[in-house]
Amino acid sequence: MKLSSNDSCPCGSQKKYKKCCKIFHDKIAFPKTALELMKSRFSAFATSNCDYIISTTHQLNPDFTTDLKSWKNDILDFSKNTIFERLEILDFIDDEIESFVTFKATLFQGKNDISFIEKSRFLKTQGVWKYIDGEFLKEGEK
Ligand SMILES: [Zn+2]
């Protein structure tokens, strides 16, 4: 998805992209909370920003690989073939170094609804939040 600075941000904040996740994507600031990071990663997927996804993924994440070329291709493949319809935050457990965000991502690939609910786990290392892993939940779970 091509997005201009004045478009509304894909993360659902109802702010303009330039006043929201773009600040993080452009590395002007780091997300202060795991929630901000989670939203900015959703926006990065929506805008096919594979570099941002990679730079905010913890080294212990199962997808982490030093084969950047194939990793980037996987992200771009997913991003380009997916419509990022909506992000809803269901729960946020905030703490010093380990935080959890439960969200529902409404996504489509063609006519297929591939929406899911995930409880994501984030770790703060050297002052920076990174995504480490997540588990899929059913509707109504937390
Ligand atoms: Zn945003």
Side-chain angles (χ1 to χ4, degrees), residues 9-13 17 20-22 39-40 43:
C9 194
C11 78
S13 62
Y17 174 54
C20 194
C21 297
K22 187 173 193 291
K39 289 178 164 186
S40 68
S43 297

Side-chain angles (χ1 to χ4, degrees), residues 1 7 18 21 52 73 95 114:
M1 175 169 87
D7 288 340
K18 69 177 177 190
C21 297
Y52 189 78
N73 278 335
D95 212 337
I114 58 154

